[in-house]
Amino acid sequence: MLAEQRKEELDRLLQRAACAGDAYYFDMDQDEFDEEMEDSEEEEYYAAYCRQREIGFDAYRAEVVKELAALTGAEELHYLMDGYNYDDGSLAVEQVVLHPDCDIKTARMVYWLLVPDYYYRHYGGPANCPPEDVNREAAALLVKLEERAQKGGFLSGLEWDGCIPDEQPDGLDFSTEPFCGVPEAFRR
């Protein structure tokens, strides 16, 4: 079970990860940034965007990726994804599901939260998602998840004191097209 202090540290890391994938404030001139961030000086995102602007977009992203890679244990990784706001981008999500300590329970939760059935219904699978689809980034992440699952690349044995959401829609027939391509590891 994670200590409250560790949860707070992970929450701050997740906020930094959301900023690391967002160039909106990075591209602003300083006066506009100061105006947009007025009264935000005490917020974690303010410090994150200031750091990003100080060292550069790519360097800040690499710094956060390194912090995410340094996490240990399936429980910390699952905590990051439990209740994750997918509007915050995919940087943290990708780092978690590709992390060597990611448990299949976390990967399965993320998989179904990325709504793979949309890509199966519309394109026959996420690998067939066209570049012009606004959700192309999620499709690419689903492909990586599927490849890893098919290789049996996820750990198992996560002990979690909270619930693990099951977002798999009911009524999917995995014995026929298009859903027969969903890896066994992600099926209920």
Side-chain angles (χ1 to χ4, degrees):
M1 182 172 177
L2 296 175
E4 286 306 310
Q5 180 180 352
R6 185 60 179 154
K7 288 179 180 180
E8 289 172 12
E9 293 167 355
L10 292 170
D11 290 340
R12 286 192 298 273
L13 175 56
L14 206 51
Q15 179 68 61
R16 289 192 304 277
C19 296
D22 180 9
Y24 179 75
Y25 293 104
F26 180 76
D27 294 333
M28 286 183 177
D29 65 35
Q30 189 63 44
D31 290 338
E32 186 179 6
F33 177 77
D34 292 342
E35 186 178 316
E36 287 279 329
M37 290 290 177
E38 189 174 349
D39 298 326
S40 298
E41 292 82 5
E42 300 299 315
E43 301 294 334
E44 183 67 37
Y45 64 84
Y46 176 79
Y49 284 122
C50 286
R51 176 83 175 143
Q52 180 190 60
R53 291 169 63 83
E54 175 188 333
I55 67 172
F57 186 83
D58 292 334
Y60 183 70
R61 183 180 176 97
E63 187 175 274
V64 171
V65 166
K66 186 176 178 180
E67 286 182 63
L68 289 164
L71 294 174
T72 56
E75 190 176 17
E76 288 188 346
L77 298 170
H78 189 80
Y79 176 81
L80 290 175
M81 295 296 96
D82 188 33
Y84 181 75
N85 181 351
Y86 285 78
D87 291 336
D88 284 342
S90 64
L91 177 69
V93 178
E94 184 168 0
Q95 297 308 306
V96 166
V97 298
L98 297 180
H99 194 286
D101 289 346
C102 185
D103 189 272
I104 188 63
K105 292 174 187 168
T106 303
R108 186 176 187 277
M109 176 185 74
V110 169
Y111 182 81
W112 288 106
L113 286 169
L114 290 172
V115 195
D117 49 312
Y118 164 82
Y119 304 97
Y120 277 97
R121 282 191 177 98
H122 288 87
Y123 309 118
N128 303 325
C129 181
E132 63 272 7
D133 188 299
V134 69
N135 299 309
R136 179 73 178 126
E137 194 173 297
L141 185 52
L142 284 166
V143 170
K144 290 176 185 179
L145 276 160
E146 289 183 352
E147 288 171 352
R148 186 169 176 191
Q150 290 165 340
K151 293 176 185 173
F154 291 103
L155 299 178
S156 63
L158 173 69
E159 292 187 28
W160 183 246
D161 58 355
C163 68
I164 297 176
D166 181 1
E167 299 293 332
Q168 179 182 320
D170 293 327
L172 300 180
D173 184 355
F174 296 116
S175 66
T176 63
E177 291 291 339
F179 300 110
C180 59
V182 173
E184 289 280 337
F186 295 140
R187 302 177 189 182
R188 188 181 308 133

